[in-house]
């Protein structure tokens, strides 16, 4: 889910006020208050979603939990702010949140015009279309004249317009404020099609009364690299958020999990593993963190594979395969710089 380029002008004034000095104290501020304020979605299963007790979970939630573990040695020193697509960038720019981790697409315009920085990609995605099976549609090329639901303040609107224009097809957009409203409009029959990132379609399909009556069409019409976002100018804070994910990717590649990390730290003679886990040297010093920062991320949150499997993997209601979100050694695109 991605913010409309047309909305950028409305936030440019805020972005212009963000200076290096104003942004540079995020780690100090977080330590002083004792928690991270994490901006998340209003509810996307597998990415950021609260249960009936108010407990948040998902890949994007775990991104914030990993940063918390790195700083505090405790993954649960996080408070969550649910944000619509329209609200999310302003909340980060204004300092209402410390980090935005809300299935947000990294684009050129966002990275250069909002006073914000993307850290790194935690999920590679692409936009697609979901329809009812009884509609009799097998391909996005069959959607000429369709009514299509989507969320306001996202590049989904632009991608949708580009797709239909490129293929000389007509459509009727139904644009609403929030993802749940788009899903409700689709479920009620107000529109024929629901479009967003394919991971979001799978997540929202799991909320429908009979998910098996709905299908995601095969076409992927865009590139959607999703990842956390921080304010521009605070290099230390960006480095912490970036390397928190790199640690998890490296850990999976090394075979280190939340279950075996303590044993491996104690017994391994591999120099790379010993550096990563803080058994020798102090790789956390340059980040303003303790020597066991990476160990704490893995012990508290797990490696990337663990995060993926418990939140969106084949044995969850979302049911996604690893696909391109696998390690480079396993045919995917996940590749992290070494900790050395």
């Amino acid at each position: 889910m991605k913010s409309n380029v047309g909305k950028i002008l409305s936030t440019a004034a805020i972005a212009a006020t963000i200076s290096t000095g104003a942004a540079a104290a995020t780690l100090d501020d977080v330590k002083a208050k004792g928690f991270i304020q994490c901006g998340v979605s209003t509810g996307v299963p597998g990415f950021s979603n609260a249960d009936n007790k108010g407990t948040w979970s998902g890949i994007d939630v775990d991104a914030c939990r990993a940063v918390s573990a790195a700083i505090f040695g405790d993954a649960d020193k996080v408070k969550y702010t649910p944000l619509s697509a329209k609200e999310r960038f302003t909340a980060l720019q204004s300092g209402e949140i410390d980090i935005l981790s809300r299935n947000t697409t990294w684009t050129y315009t966002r990275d250069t015009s909002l006073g914000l920085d993307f850290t790194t990609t935690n999920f590679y995605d692409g936009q697609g279309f979901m329809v009812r099976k009884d509609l009799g549609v097998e391909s996005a090329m069959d959607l000429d004249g369709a009514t299509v639901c989507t969320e306001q303040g996202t590049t989904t609107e632009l991608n949708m317009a580009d797709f239909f224009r490129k293929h000389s097809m007509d459509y009727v957009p139904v644009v609403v404020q929030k993802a749940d409203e788009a899903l409700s409009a689709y479920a009620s029959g107000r529109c024929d099609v629901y479009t967003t990132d394919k991971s979001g379609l799978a997540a929202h399909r799991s909320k429908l009364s009979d998910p098996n009556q709905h299908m995601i069409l095969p076409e992927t019409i865009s590139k959607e690299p999703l990842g956390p976002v921080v304010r521009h100018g605070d290099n230390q804070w960006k480095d912490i958020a970036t390397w928190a994910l790199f640690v998890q990717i490296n850990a999976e590649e090394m075979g280190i999990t939340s279950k075996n990390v303590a044993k491996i730290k104690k017994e391994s003679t591999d120099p790379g593993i010993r550096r990563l886990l803080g058994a020798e040297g102090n790789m956390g010093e340059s980040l303003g963190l303790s020597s066991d920062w990476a160990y704490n991320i893995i012990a508290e949150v797990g490696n990337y594979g663990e995060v993926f499997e418990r939140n969106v993997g084949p044995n969850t209601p979302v049911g996604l395969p690893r696909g391109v979100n696998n390690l480079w050694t396993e045919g995917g695109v996940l590749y992290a710089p070494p900790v050395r």
Side-chain angles (χ1 to χ4, degrees):
M1 296 189 172
K2 337 86 191 170
S3 190
N4 191 323
V5 175
K7 303 296 182 184
I8 288 172
L9 292 177
S10 67
T11 57
I14 296 176
T17 66
I18 299 175
S19 67
T20 300
T26 308
L27 177 60
D28 292 339
D29 290 346
V30 164
K31 286 181 175 180
K33 65 187 179 184
F35 64 89
I36 297 168
Q37 196 73 45
C38 176
V40 292
S41 75
T42 53
V44 178
F47 287 84
S48 51
N49 198 51
D51 63 19
N52 55 14
K53 295 182 180 179
T55 301
W56 286 87
S57 65
I59 285 180
D60 289 333
V61 168
D62 280 342
C64 289
R65 296 181 68 245
V67 175
S68 175
I71 297 168
F72 299 110
D74 182 346
D76 295 322
K77 290 187 177 295
V78 185
K79 295 184 180 181
Y80 300 97
T81 302
L83 298 164
S84 70
K86 187 177 180 180
E87 298 166 335
R88 57 185 161 177
F89 295 124
T90 303
L92 183 57
Q93 291 164 335
S94 68
E96 179 185 348
I97 58 175
D98 302 308
I99 183 171
L100 176 66
S101 189
R102 188 205 173 281
N103 54 309
T104 298
T105 302
W106 189 348
T107 69
Y108 168 82
T109 307
R110 290 175 176 179
D111 206 20
T112 61
S113 304
L114 297 178
L116 305 175
D117 281 335
F118 283 78
T119 57
T120 191
T121 301
N122 69 348
F123 193 90
Y124 290 89
D125 210 344
Q127 187 173 328
F129 299 97
M130 180 167 67
V131 299
R132 298 169 189 78
K133 290 181 178 178
D134 61 13
L135 191 63
V137 169
E138 299 293 334
S139 166
M141 299 307 296
D142 300 328
L143 295 178
D144 191 16
T147 301
V148 188
C149 281
T150 195
E151 184 183 358
Q152 185 182 32
T154 67
T155 54
T156 300
E157 295 177 77
L158 301 177
N159 293 336
M160 177 173 63
D162 285 350
F163 174 80
F164 282 95
R165 180 182 176 187
K166 177 181 177 180
H167 296 289
S168 301
M169 296 192 297
D170 294 324
Y171 75 105
V172 179
V174 177
V175 182
V176 297
Q177 288 284 338
K178 297 180 180 179
D180 278 346
E181 294 173 4
L183 183 66
S184 295
Y186 169 75
S188 70
R190 187 178 166 193
C191 49
D192 306 309
V193 186
Y194 179 28
T195 184
T196 187
D197 299 340
K198 282 192 166 181
S199 64
L201 292 177
H204 288 301
R205 181 172 60 180
S206 71
K207 294 181 176 181
L208 295 169
S209 58
D210 189 353
N212 291 329
Q213 294 302 310
H214 306 266
M215 63 184 288
I216 298 171
L217 298 178
E219 290 85 358
T220 300
I221 68 168
S222 68
K223 293 189 295 184
E224 309 295 336
L226 311 177
V229 192
V230 297
R231 285 181 290 277
H232 183 75
D234 189 342
N235 292 340
Q236 181 187 42
W237 186 244
K238 180 185 177 183
D239 286 346
I240 292 170
T242 300
W243 279 94
L245 178 60
F246 285 161
V247 161
Q248 293 176 300
I249 295 171
N250 277 313
E252 183 179 9
E253 188 174 337
M254 293 174 170
I256 307 170
T257 70
S258 58
K259 295 180 176 61
N260 67 20
V261 65
K263 183 175 187 292
I264 288 178
K265 181 178 182 179
K266 182 178 180 180
E267 298 178 359
S268 179
T269 58
D270 184 312
I273 290 176
R274 290 180 61 80
R275 279 194 301 271
L276 178 70
L277 301 182
E280 63 181 52
N282 184 359
M283 303 305 288
E285 185 176 8
S286 58
L287 292 173
L289 304 176
S290 63
S291 61
D292 59 356
W293 68 286
Y295 172 90
N296 290 333
I297 292 172
I298 302 164
E300 291 275 318
V301 186
N303 67 33
Y304 183 86
E306 290 179 281
V307 170
F308 186 100
E309 293 300 328
R310 72 168 170 259
N311 289 305
V312 299
N315 295 321
T316 69
V318 180
L320 296 176
R322 282 294 291 268
V324 294
N325 291 291
N326 212 333
L327 296 175
W328 65 286
T329 54
E330 301 295 331
V333 299
L334 294 187
Y335 185 104
V339 177
R340 63 172 307 121

